[in-house]
Amino acid sequence: MLDLILNLDYQPLWITLQVATYTTILLIILGTPLALWLAKITGAKKAVLEAVVALPLVLPPTVLGFYLLVTMGPDGPVGQLWASMGFSPLTFSMTGLVIGSFLYSLPFAIQPLMHGFELMGKRPIEASASLGASKWDQFFSITLPLTRRHYLVGATLAFAHTVGEFGVILMLGGNIPGVTQVVSIAIYDHVEALEYSQAHILSAIMLVMSLLVLSIVYGVNRRLEVKVG
Amino acid sequence: MLDLILNLDYQPLWITLQVATYTTILLIILGTPLALWLAKITGAKKAVLEAVVALPLVLPPTVLGFYLLVTMGPDGPVGQLWASMGFSPLTFSMTGLVIGSFLYSLPFAIQPLMHGFELMGKRPIEASASLGASKWDQFFSITLPLTRRHYLVGATLAFAHTVGEFGVILMLGGNIPGVTQVVSIAIYDHVEALEYSQAHILSAIMLVMSLLVLSIVYGVNRRLEVKVG
Amino acid sequence: SNAATQQKPIHLAVSANFLATLKQISQKFTKQTGIPVYLSNGATGMLYAQIKRGAPYDLFFAADARRPELLEQAGLIEPNSRFTYVKGKLVVWSRTGYFSTDLAKLVVTSPQLRYFAIANPKSAPYGRAAKQVLEHYGLYRTLLKSHQLALGENVGKTFHYVATGNAQIGLLAKSYLMTHSVKGHFKDVDESLYSPIIQQAVVLKGKKSSEVQQFLDFFRSEAVQVQLQKAGYDLPQKGVK
Amino acid sequence: MSLTGHLSLTRGGFQLDTGLFEIPETGLTAIFGHSGCGKTSFLRALAGFENEAKGEVVFQGKLWLKDGKSLPVYQRKLGYVFQESSLFAHLDVENNLRYGLKRATKPHHIHFEQVVEWLNLAHLLVRDVQTLSGGEKQRVAIGRALLGQPNILMMDEPMASLDSLSKQQIFPYLERLRDEIKIPILYITHSSDEVVRLADTVIFMAEGKIASIESIEQALNQPHSPLYQNQDPRSVLSAVLDSHVLEDGLSCLKVGSAKLSISYLDKAVGETLRVVISANQVSLMKEKPVLTSMLNHLPVTIEDISDFNEFSVLVRLRLKDEPWPLLAQITKRSVKQLALEEASEWIAAIKSVSILN
Amino acid sequence: MSLTGHLSLTRGGFQLDTGLFEIPETGLTAIFGHSGCGKTSFLRALAGFENEAKGEVVFQGKLWLKDGKSLPVYQRKLGYVFQESSLFAHLDVENNLRYGLKRATKPHHIHFEQVVEWLNLAHLLVRDVQTLSGGEKQRVAIGRALLGQPNILMMDEPMASLDSLSKQQIFPYLERLRDEIKIPILYITHSSDEVVRLADTVIFMAEGKIASIESIEQALNQPHSPLYQNQDPRSVLSAVLDSHVLEDGLSCLKVGSAKLSISYLDKAVGETLRVVISANQVSLMKEKPVLTSMLNHLPVTIEDISDFNEFSVLVRLRLKDEPWPLLAQITKRSVKQLALEEASEWIAAIKSVSILN
Ligand SMILES: Nc1ncnc2c1ncn2[C@@H]1O[C@H](COP(=O)(O)OP(=O)(O)OP(=O)(O)O)[C@@H](O)[C@H]1O
Ligand SMILES: Nc1ncnc2c1ncn2[C@@H]1O[C@H](COP(=O)(O)OP(=O)(O)OP(=O)(O)O)[C@@H](O)[C@H]1O
Ligand SMILES: [Mg+2]
Ligand SMILES: [Mg+2]
């Protein structure tokens, strides 16, 4: 057993961490203006856009991955555009994985953020504007701290979802050890190869680590908690 | 093309709808007391429990499905307990699918609900208690309508996630045509069998239907919208 | 060893049913030559779709002959590199011992029989073969109608279904039962009852390096061939592509 | 004694510790004290909203709180108006109003139409509560609490955001509630005008403690009553309605054995009233001027002269047969000029008086 | 003219339409009107919080709003105190206070320590704003707005939840702000006391419109001023501080050519003041009583007698050389008894007066 634990390939863990971190950061950065905008608009447009954001969820991840593979591959429209800008191919690369995970986890980040912005309402922003804070200042000194819990919910759901993500990554990333083989795929491979012990160990490591990280994140968040209203 | 559309097997669509509906209803019903309790407790216990709820996310669905298959199978502890109570087996059945999806989508339902309850605060409940409403009455006449948007977010994320769900269902459901073969698996099979047209058609149907349903749900919700605070 | 660090690694894309066996083979190969081998496991259809879009694999061990053929037609492989590496064999596995491995005696209505597991005939070659066998015994329609047919997405999942006791009996790849100690008993299925499960491999276009050639040579070596047979595969007859 | 007990509660650095209190069964009891002295905390603990509150509360013989066991709020039949209006955001005005009404046991004493009229809510009924102005919200909150048919009404600064016209319109109905339906009302306010106008009893709070519970007469007759920080002292006298002089629009009161004319008051002859007279409204003169528009000239005896501030004194005057003294604030110059001294007799001229309840 | 323009805004069934307004550059301007008349809507539109507001606003020569183009609020240098306290929930009291201070251009005219002292906030600085009482929150909100070093201060019922002591403590500093730092203050209130105490100008609003903008003297000298719905009319007279009688603690004012004694006032001789006298504090008599504690007896001429209500009249009296009239509320019985008629001369006895600014 100890032998198994020592001889396991831990690189997938590291790659998973990278993909999930990049994806989450990207979701937070790009998701913020999107969620701010969705929180502001009204009417039919809003309902449809909200639905569009939630759409990636309803396709099986492998199928979503397949369509992304087609679109982002060398012959696909996105892939060609990307290549014409002189970048190396998206598919089977970390960049591709991050983009795929981004799309797939988008609703988990956007929904809580949007909701947070709506709940906060205009009042705190009005108050900070009257106190001389510019738009950026308003966002960083008021909106961000007041919606911190929503950011946390969004970020943890998105992070956890990316860590467990499998179908999109397998399809788009190609299960290439050392490059795109994330831990979810590694566990899957062990199960496929009927190497149950290894699968159990990796799963246990994942669960314990996640439990630890999530507990700490939630615990710290509680401590800093702000109850609105 | 039309030929293809007419000859497609639409039963998986129907099964998907059933599984997703049951799962969502179960999540809402059982998730409510859980979220209410999580919203009330404090301290380290809360942080750890929140983390536990989010855990199913970090395992690849197929692997989660595998563990569930073992546990809920005729030789597994849950399966034996279940059988000893005189029920027919959980695995390869609609019931099993719903339980698996329930666990896998739990965080998507719990997190928004918990958050909604915390944001609502105690004041509306205090007001309704002073007006003579009993605990149940308070919940149905105040808490539920005031957190309706959180229920909606939770329900749509959970529903959409169950519809697209694949790994857990594939493993646990046994892909039994007419019983547990859901649309996500059907699409996947088409892709695997290089029947791309069929896959496209099913995917398109899924997307359009989901877009419609989600738009309507979000639109109706907007109309009834309650801004708190 | 020192040499190992200078060797270029090779990437193998492998269909799930052959993963465990290929893993063992490539570990031996690496030990002998110092050339690292990376395995990418996946469903054949998925790997095919990826290869069509430039996946960086060197060799592709498919679960059937169709996808390698399609790749050849598309000009995506090294000329003449397509070869049959094994022929799959189907076995009936009755885990509980309640059911005979003789399918002719199977009573579908028996209350002990909840599920019969096969791989999905639509996507998995072993599934297609299993379907032919069931049809031969007139069981396929019956099982399908009574919702007793559990379809594994691949043979691996089909194996899990039976191994965990969720299905009582199944038709699956012999290789799974040869390499793992399992409960119950199993029996080869008469090969005339199903069209041969030809599993082919190809070298992908531009990937014919000396390391790849070394691997191919190693794969064709006597020792490996014996190992394949032990693992429950039939060897391709000489001369058959 | 209707509402009795003692309560303690800790919130951060703040400590509420009421000591034993007894709040009368009827009438309006004002809770008065500085910002942050614990009025809201006290009332919330009393109502049962603070789970950490310790102590004992008995209301009309029913145990509300004892030994850590608390009767659920919804069984207490109380009406509560919160300091910040807490309307249900998902209901329109009408449904907010009807929320408690639907849940009240019959028969109803307070009717929907009545309340809508009292609080002038008819034009707001279909409105979304989010769109109401500050004062409108508060009126709806008051109405909602009333319609719950409470056995006791608790209000936390309910009038703070109302303009004086709205207040004037609501006061009479609160008075009616207090007098006709006879439910006790607990009323937090920082307005001494509201206390004078409405209260029968005053609970003075300071730094988390109940400093004293006094009848309004006691409260007002203290020379340095907390009700009048930096303001004039006032006196409260009991009076009996003696007669009406309808043609002049006057009513005549007997205060002790003296007579006091006031604007016509719609009460029966023989009723007992309380008259508030601000100390700086009272002047002393040796004899009544021959021709004056001032109605009231009462013969008084000086009982006591005490310093009020650097330049003026507070003179305690005694009316014949009246238990409470009449206070006059007089400059020291006048004291010198008039040679005021104890036991001497004077005429107290009073221009305006106000009537309690 | 400091703040001029016109604004219109539609919110549901409510329509704000101010017409042209001109608000003076200095002093405190009260916005007064019934609950729901549009005070908050007007002030918010003025500040720039309502994006749908149409019209034009110019402040100190700077265009705030014109042709749909609106200067961003954060560039307007205004301080705003909201009707419901809107403290930042994620900051403690000190950081709420410092929020605007950090962002203000130097030099600062209003200092942190000053404000903390004025508003008595020292013991609250480290507190979480969620734990403050209603009044405490409001004090922090006022302090935060002041520390933003605004060029104009807008306050929406800032004192509504403050007790009278807190108010008494804050008034002088608002006055100081108004007089020393000389920034204009716009102040919504429904308390006529606050208007009388603080305002130089009053904007009367009714049903979404500005009914009139009046100086405080004009506003108070209307017999039926909206400031005193159902209350006594008052008169405001201009007076010059004539002399101090230190040993008696009195100051002597000249009102027209008559003299008026009041409690000692800490102002320089020669300064102009405004004196408010409630009409029911004024009695008429034929001659001054020989011995009386009443300080003030002014010779007046009756200019006009008009019905006030069923049983009393309002008598307009003229003091010699004073532009504004003195009002007295007298019962009809006294009018008969004294045979009051126009142009006859009387002595007006006045017990108490109050001083504006
Ligand atoms: N968590 C806490 N930590 C420290 N002090 C607290 C906490 N919660 C409340 N307080 C303090 O308790 C005191 C009483 O609050 P309460 O709301 O009862 O006052 P109040 O008398 O109603 O005041 P107001 O008239 O301003 O509404 C206040 O000084 C408040 O700051
Ligand atoms: N969406 C809306 N639909 C209809 N009426 C509205 C809407 N929003 C606001 N109003 C009305 O506009 C009027 C003006 O509101 P505003 O808040 O300006 O009043 P206010 O003068 O500040 O009152 P208060 O003294 O009670 O705070 C109110 O009568 C309010 O009910
Ligand atoms: Mg309070
Ligand atoms: Mg307002």
Side-chain angles (χ1 to χ4, degrees):
Chain A
M1 184 71 175
L2 186 72
D3 206 43
L4 269 179
I5 294 179
L6 290 176
N7 283 324
L8 263 180
D9 180 7
Y10 290 105
Q11 205 170 23
L13 269 174
W14 174 233
I15 295 174
T16 299
L17 200 69
Q18 279 182 293
V19 173
T21 307
Y22 294 153
T23 304
T24 308
I25 292 174
L26 204 67
L27 277 170
I28 292 304
I29 293 177
L30 297 184
T32 295
L34 183 57
L36 277 171
W37 179 62
L38 282 173
K40 218 172 58 184
I41 59 172
T42 50
K45 193 164 75 172
K46 177 174 196 135
V48 172
L49 281 167
E50 276 189 85
V52 166
V53 167
L55 267 196
L57 274 184
V58 302
L59 280 188
T62 330
V63 175
L64 180 68
F66 173 71
Y67 285 120
L68 289 178
L69 182 70
V70 172
T71 328
M72 288 166 38
D75 303 337
V78 176
Q80 288 188 336
L81 187 75
W82 189 256
S84 75
M85 296 191 295
F87 295 115
S88 56
L90 283 174
T91 44
F92 313 116
S93 70
M94 175 78 83
T95 318
L97 285 197
V98 171
I99 293 177
S101 306
F102 174 85
L103 284 176
Y104 191 48
S105 293
L106 193 61
F108 302 124
I110 290 292
Q111 291 251 23
L113 289 189
M114 199 176 99
H115 199 196
F117 297 146
E118 284 176 1
L119 277 173
M120 188 184 77
K122 293 188 308 176
R123 180 57 58 81
I125 290 302
E126 289 176 356
S128 80
S130 78
L131 292 165
S134 65
K135 297 272 163 190
W136 284 97
D137 191 356
Q138 285 163 28
F139 178 78
F140 285 105
S141 66
I142 303 298
T143 309
L144 192 61
L146 279 179
T147 53
R148 198 186 46 225
R149 287 215 55 209
H150 296 85
Y151 271 93
L152 191 92
V153 168
T156 46
L157 285 183
F159 191 92
H161 196 245
T162 306
V163 166
E165 216 291 288
F166 173 72
V168 175
I169 287 186
L170 187 65
M171 204 54 148
L172 203 58
N175 190 4
I176 296 165
V179 182
T180 59
Q181 190 181 62
V182 295
V183 73
S184 59
I185 295 181
I187 300 177
Y188 173 77
D189 278 358
H190 285 305
V191 173
E192 285 281 283
L194 310 189
E195 298 165 353
Y196 293 137
S197 316
Q198 285 95 325
H200 294 340
I201 293 170
L202 269 186
S203 296
I205 292 177
M206 288 286 291
L207 286 177
V208 170
M209 266 180 42
S210 305
L211 190 64
L212 264 174
V213 172
L214 288 175
S215 298
I216 291 170
V217 170
Y218 286 133
V220 168
N221 179 55
R222 282 298 143 192
R223 226 162 266 254
L224 306 170
E225 183 164 347
V226 171
K227 274 200 190 101
V228 182
Chain B
M1 185 72 174
L2 185 70
D3 205 45
L4 271 178
I5 294 178
L6 291 177
N7 284 323
L8 265 178
D9 179 9
Y10 291 104
Q11 205 169 22
L13 268 175
W14 173 233
I15 295 174
T16 300
L17 199 70
Q18 277 181 294
V19 173
T21 306
Y22 294 152
T23 304
T24 308
I25 291 173
L26 203 68
L27 277 170
I28 292 304
I29 294 176
L30 298 185
T32 294
L34 183 57
L36 276 172
W37 179 62
L38 282 173
K40 217 172 59 183
I41 59 171
T42 51
K45 193 164 72 172
K46 177 175 197 133
V48 172
L49 282 167
E50 275 189 88
V52 167
V53 167
L55 267 195
L57 274 184
V58 302
L59 280 187
T62 328
V63 174
L64 181 67
F66 174 70
Y67 286 123
L68 290 177
L69 184 72
V70 173
T71 329
M72 287 166 36
D75 301 341
V78 176
Q80 289 188 337
L81 187 76
W82 188 257
S84 74
M85 296 190 295
F87 294 115
S88 57
L90 283 173
T91 46
F92 299 167
S93 71
M94 178 75 86
T95 318
L97 284 196
V98 171
I99 292 178
S101 306
F102 174 85
L103 284 177
Y104 192 47
S105 293
L106 192 61
F108 302 124
I110 290 291
Q111 290 252 22
L113 289 190
M114 199 176 99
H115 199 195
F117 297 148
E118 286 178 0
L119 278 173
M120 188 184 78
K122 294 186 308 180
R123 180 57 58 81
I125 291 302
E126 289 175 357
S128 81
S130 79
L131 292 165
S134 66
K135 297 272 164 191
W136 284 97
D137 191 355
Q138 284 163 29
F139 178 78
F140 285 105
S141 66
I142 303 297
T143 309
L144 193 61
L146 278 179
T147 54
R148 197 185 48 222
R149 287 216 55 208
H150 296 85
Y151 271 91
L152 191 93
V153 168
T156 47
L157 285 183
F159 190 92
H161 196 245
T162 307
V163 166
E165 217 289 288
F166 174 71
V168 176
I169 286 186
L170 187 67
M171 221 32 171
L172 202 57
N175 192 8
I176 295 164
V179 180
T180 60
Q181 189 178 63
V182 295
V183 74
S184 57
I185 298 180
I187 299 179
Y188 175 80
D189 285 348
H190 285 305
V191 172
E192 275 292 289
L194 309 189
E195 298 167 356
Y196 293 136
S197 317
Q198 284 93 326
H200 295 339
I201 293 170
L202 269 186
S203 295
I205 291 177
M206 289 287 291
L207 287 176
V208 170
M209 266 181 40
S210 305
L211 190 65
L212 264 174
V213 171
L214 289 175
S215 298
I216 291 169
V217 170
Y218 286 131
V220 168
N221 180 56
R222 284 296 144 192
R223 227 162 266 253
L224 306 169
E225 182 163 348
V226 171
K227 272 199 193 102
V228 182
Chain C
S1 75
N2 197 25
T5 55
Q6 279 135 35
Q7 306 276 20
K8 216 177 101 217
I10 52 177
H11 284 249
L12 311 182
V14 57
S15 144
N17 80 75
F18 197 56
L19 173 66
T21 312
L22 194 61
K23 218 176 199 174
Q24 289 167 6
I25 293 170
S26 53
Q27 272 162 7
K28 267 191 205 153
F29 172 71
T30 304
K31 214 179 241 169
Q32 229 172 64
T33 62
I35 300 173
V37 178
Y38 294 158
L39 289 177
S40 292
N41 156 54
T44 300
M46 183 191 84
L47 293 170
Y48 165 77
Q50 289 176 337
I51 288 164
K52 282 195 78 172
R53 284 160 190 90
Y57 307 131
D58 297 323
L59 276 161
F60 174 31
F61 287 83
D64 63 3
R66 181 156 156 252
R67 263 60 74 100
E69 276 163 16
L70 284 172
L71 286 176
E72 185 171 43
Q73 285 159 23
L76 289 172
I77 66 169
E78 285 293 313
N80 299 318
S81 67
R82 182 165 65 85
F83 69 101
T84 302
Y85 60 96
V86 287
K87 270 167 64 184
K89 285 165 79 169
L90 215 52
V91 292
V92 184
W93 177 22
S94 166
R95 182 175 171 276
T96 56
Y98 182 87
F99 299 103
S100 144
T101 48
D102 186 354
L103 290 181
K105 293 184 186 154
L106 188 75
V107 183
V108 173
T109 51
S110 154
Q112 270 75 19
L113 178 68
R114 298 199 57 83
Y115 295 104
F116 196 112
I118 65 171
N120 193 338
K122 211 164 198 167
S123 48
Y126 285 90
R128 198 166 333 115
K131 183 180 170 191
Q132 289 170 349
V133 174
L134 287 181
E135 276 170 343
H136 169 83
Y137 290 108
L139 291 169
Y140 186 73
R141 305 238 91 224
T142 328
L143 286 169
L144 198 62
K145 267 215 190 107
S146 59
H147 301 306
Q148 283 177 288
L149 204 56
L151 304 179
E153 173 213 334
N154 56 30
V155 240
K157 295 209 170 59
T158 317
F159 174 79
H160 294 316
Y161 288 166
V162 185
T164 54
N166 286 291
Q168 288 68 39
I169 186 167
L171 276 167
L172 48 156
K174 186 175 182 187
S175 58
Y176 275 88
L177 296 172
M178 296 304 288
T179 42
H180 296 88
S181 49
V182 294
K183 281 191 188 168
H185 46 280
F186 59 90
K187 201 184 90 184
D188 284 9
V189 176
D190 182 353
E191 286 182 42
S192 65
L193 296 182
Y194 55 95
S195 36
I197 305 164
I198 309 278
Q199 300 195 205
Q200 291 196 328
V202 293
V203 180
L204 296 174
K205 183 135 190 133
K207 299 297 173 71
K208 198 160 182 118
S209 61
S210 76
E211 287 86 358
V212 168
Q213 193 52 54
Q214 281 184 59
F215 184 82
L216 285 175
D217 292 344
F218 179 78
F219 188 87
R220 291 183 179 124
S221 70
E222 195 58 35
V224 172
Q225 296 293 307
V226 170
Q227 186 183 348
L228 289 177
Q229 265 178 312
K230 272 198 194 141
Y233 293 104
D234 258 357
L235 295 180
Q237 290 123 357
K238 295 264 171 205
V240 173
K241 267 217 157 164
Chain D
M1 288 304 152
S2 146
L3 183 55
T4 59
H6 57 94
L7 281 165
S8 59
L9 176 66
T10 310
R11 278 165 81 190
F14 173 77
Q15 174 75 36
L16 177 77
D17 216 332
T18 63
L20 271 174
F21 55 81
E22 299 186 336
I23 298 169
E25 176 122 31
T26 53
L28 188 146
T29 302
I31 303 175
F32 191 86
H34 287 324
S35 172
C37 72
K39 305 181 292 294
T40 299
S41 309
F42 172 49
L43 199 59
R44 285 178 53 84
L46 205 57
F49 293 138
E50 299 290 347
N51 292 329
E52 291 80 28
K54 307 236 170 317
E56 192 175 318
V57 179
V58 185
F59 176 64
Q60 293 179 342
K62 222 186 237 167
L63 270 179
W64 272 9
L65 180 70
K66 192 177 182 178
D67 302 334
K69 257 187 237 157
S70 173
L71 185 72
V73 176
Y74 70 90
Q75 292 175 357
R76 294 185 178 194
K77 302 201 185 214
L78 55 85
Y80 200 102
V81 178
F82 294 87
Q83 188 162 11
E84 293 113 36
S85 91
S86 305
L87 300 179
F88 300 129
H90 62 297
L91 300 176
D92 64 11
V93 170
E94 172 155 4
N95 283 306
N96 263 279
L97 289 171
R98 287 196 188 276
Y99 189 91
L101 188 64
K102 281 183 197 151
R103 287 158 177 84
T105 45
K106 302 204 167 165
H108 297 165
H109 302 290
I110 306 174
H111 301 287
F112 184 77
E113 293 71 24
Q114 263 178 359
V115 167
V116 167
E117 195 202 312
W118 293 354
L119 296 164
N120 188 20
L121 298 173
H123 62 296
L124 299 176
L125 287 180
V126 298
R127 284 271 293 281
D128 185 349
V129 296
Q130 323 271 339
T131 69
L132 298 181
S133 78
E136 289 164 346
K137 278 184 193 154
Q138 206 55 25
R139 268 147 55 202
V140 177
I142 295 172
R144 187 179 66 176
L146 291 179
L147 285 169
Q149 318 292 327
N151 287 343
I152 178 170
L153 193 56
M154 302 180 172
M155 310 174 95
D156 193 349
E157 305 197 15
M159 304 278 195
S161 52
L162 298 185
D163 61 289
S164 54
L165 187 65
S166 307
K167 279 188 207 175
Q168 301 294 340
Q169 284 167 346
I170 296 172
F171 278 156
Y173 299 109
L174 282 179
E175 290 170 341
R176 209 146 105 186
L177 218 67
R178 180 190 67 188
D179 300 335
E180 287 177 19
I181 304 182
K182 291 206 191 318
I183 60 170
I185 302 177
L186 280 170
Y187 188 100
I188 297 183
T189 179
H190 52 66
S191 151
S192 44
D193 287 347
E194 288 177 21
V195 174
V196 172
R197 169 84 200 239
L198 294 170
D200 300 293
T201 310
V202 188
I203 300 179
F204 289 105
M205 292 193 67
E207 293 171 3
K209 299 204 167 29
I210 292 184
S212 64
I213 302 187
E214 302 176 11
S215 75
I216 185 71
E217 290 93 343
Q218 281 177 308
L220 287 170
N221 280 318
Q222 290 176 22
H224 292 277
S225 168
L227 283 175
Y228 297 109
Q229 316 128 335
N230 299 334
Q231 280 183 274
D232 322 321
R234 308 187 180 191
S235 21
V236 181
L237 307 176
S238 12
V240 178
L241 187 55
D242 190 59
S243 60
H244 294 297
V245 188
L246 284 180
E247 66 278 21
D248 290 335
L250 293 177
S251 295
C252 206
L253 307 180
K254 277 198 88 156
V255 181
S257 45
K259 287 210 173 180
L260 203 63
S261 293
I262 58 167
S263 302
Y264 174 74
L265 203 68
D266 188 12
K267 304 243 175 187
V269 169
E271 260 191 66
T272 306
L273 306 166
R274 279 169 308 185
V275 181
V276 185
I277 301 166
S278 170
N280 74 5
Q281 298 262 31
V282 179
S283 343
L284 292 178
M285 45 190 71
K286 211 52 209 180
E287 46 198 62
K288 188 181 161 188
V290 196
L291 278 179
T292 174
S293 69
M294 222 183 251
L295 287 173
N296 295 303
H297 295 85
L298 309 180
V300 294
T301 312
I302 295 182
E303 247 190 22
D304 177 70
I305 301 178
S306 58
D307 268 19
F308 181 69
N309 60 29
E310 212 183 335
F311 305 110
S312 65
V313 296
L314 210 58
V315 181
R316 198 163 81 224
L317 305 167
R318 181 62 56 184
L319 281 136
K320 219 173 147 204
D321 301 324
E322 163 65 29
W324 298 104
L326 176 67
L327 298 176
Q329 187 186 342
I330 308 284
T331 59
K332 290 189 176 172
R333 182 159 80 163
S334 298
V335 174
K336 255 190 293 174
Q337 282 185 346
L338 302 182
L340 298 183
E341 51 187 39
E342 285 173 28
S344 59
E345 299 201 346
W346 291 84
I347 301 288
I350 299 168
K351 171 76 202 199
S352 71
V353 301
S354 47
I355 304 298
L356 277 188
N357 49 21
Chain E
M1 288 305 152
S2 147
L3 183 55
T4 58
H6 56 95
L7 281 164
S8 59
L9 175 67
T10 310
R11 278 165 81 192
F14 174 76
Q15 174 77 35
L16 176 76
D17 216 331
T18 64
L20 271 174
F21 55 82
E22 298 186 336
I23 298 169
E25 176 122 32
T26 54
L28 188 147
T29 302
I31 303 175
F32 191 88
H34 288 324
S35 173
C37 73
K39 305 181 294 294
T40 299
S41 310
F42 172 48
L43 200 60
R44 284 178 53 84
L46 206 56
F49 293 138
E50 298 290 348
N51 292 328
E52 292 80 29
K54 306 237 170 317
E56 192 174 319
V57 179
V58 185
F59 176 64
Q60 294 180 341
K62 223 187 237 165
L63 270 181
W64 273 10
L65 180 70
K66 191 176 182 177
D67 301 334
K69 256 188 240 160
S70 172
L71 186 71
V73 177
Y74 70 90
Q75 292 175 355
R76 294 186 178 195
K77 302 200 184 213
L78 54 86
Y80 201 103
V81 178
F82 294 87
Q83 187 161 10
E84 294 112 36
S85 91
S86 304
L87 299 179
F88 299 130
H90 62 297
L91 299 177
D92 63 12
V93 170
E94 172 155 4
N95 283 306
N96 264 279
L97 289 171
R98 288 195 188 276
Y99 189 90
L101 189 63
K102 281 184 197 152
R103 288 159 176 81
T105 45
K106 301 205 167 162
H108 299 164
H109 302 289
I110 306 174
H111 302 287
F112 185 76
E113 293 72 23
Q114 265 179 358
V115 168
V116 167
E117 197 202 311
W118 293 353
L119 296 163
N120 187 20
L121 298 172
H123 62 296
L124 299 176
L125 288 181
V126 298
R127 283 272 292 282
D128 184 349
V129 296
Q130 324 271 340
T131 69
L132 299 181
S133 78
E136 290 164 346
K137 277 183 196 156
Q138 206 56 26
R139 270 147 55 202
V140 177
I142 295 173
R144 186 178 67 173
L146 290 180
L147 285 169
Q149 317 293 325
N151 287 344
I152 179 170
L153 193 57
M154 301 180 172
M155 309 173 96
D156 193 349
E157 306 197 13
M159 305 277 194
S161 52
L162 298 185
D163 61 289
S164 55
L165 187 65
S166 307
K167 278 188 207 175
Q168 300 294 341
Q169 284 167 345
I170 295 172
F171 277 156
Y173 299 109
L174 282 180
E175 289 170 342
R176 210 146 105 186
L177 218 67
R178 178 190 68 187
D179 299 336
E180 288 176 20
I181 304 183
K182 291 205 188 322
I183 60 170
I185 301 176
L186 280 170
Y187 188 102
I188 297 183
T189 180
H190 51 67
S191 151
S192 45
D193 288 347
E194 289 177 22
V195 172
V196 172
R197 168 84 199 237
L198 293 171
D200 299 292
T201 310
V202 188
I203 299 179
F204 290 104
M205 292 193 66
E207 293 172 5
K209 298 204 169 26
I210 292 183
S212 63
I213 304 187
E214 301 177 12
S215 75
I216 184 70
E217 291 93 345
Q218 281 178 308
L220 288 170
N221 279 317
Q222 291 177 23
H224 291 279
S225 168
L227 283 176
Y228 297 109
Q229 317 128 331
N230 300 336
Q231 279 182 274
D232 324 320
R234 307 188 181 191
S235 19
V236 181
L237 307 175
S238 11
V240 179
L241 186 57
D242 191 58
S243 60
H244 294 297
V245 188
L246 284 179
E247 66 277 20
D248 291 335
L250 294 177
S251 294
C252 206
L253 306 181
K254 277 198 88 154
V255 181
S257 44
K259 286 211 174 182
L260 204 63
S261 293
I262 59 166
S263 302
Y264 174 73
L265 203 68
D266 188 13
K267 303 243 176 187
V269 170
E271 260 191 66
T272 306
L273 306 164
R274 280 169 308 186
V275 182
V276 185
I277 301 165
S278 169
N280 73 5
Q281 297 262 29
V282 179
S283 345
L284 292 178
M285 44 191 72
K286 211 48 207 181
E287 44 197 62
K288 188 182 159 187
V290 196
L291 277 179
T292 174
S293 71
M294 222 182 249
L295 286 174
N296 295 304
H297 296 85
L298 308 181
V300 292
T301 312
I302 296 182
E303 247 189 21
D304 177 71
I305 301 177
S306 59
D307 269 20
F308 181 71
N309 62 29
E310 211 182 334
F311 303 112
S312 65
V313 297
L314 208 59
V315 182
R316 199 163 80 223
L317 306 165
R318 182 60 59 182
L319 281 136
K320 218 172 150 209
D321 302 323
E322 164 63 30
W324 300 103
L326 177 67
L327 300 176
Q329 186 185 342
I330 307 285
T331 58
K332 291 191 176 171
R333 182 160 78 164
S334 298
V335 174
K336 256 190 294 174
Q337 282 185 344
L338 300 181
L340 297 183
E341 49 186 41
E342 285 174 29
S344 59
E345 300 201 345
W346 291 83
I347 300 290
I350 300 167
K351 171 78 201 198
S352 70
V353 300
S354 47
I355 304 298
L356 277 189
N357 50 21

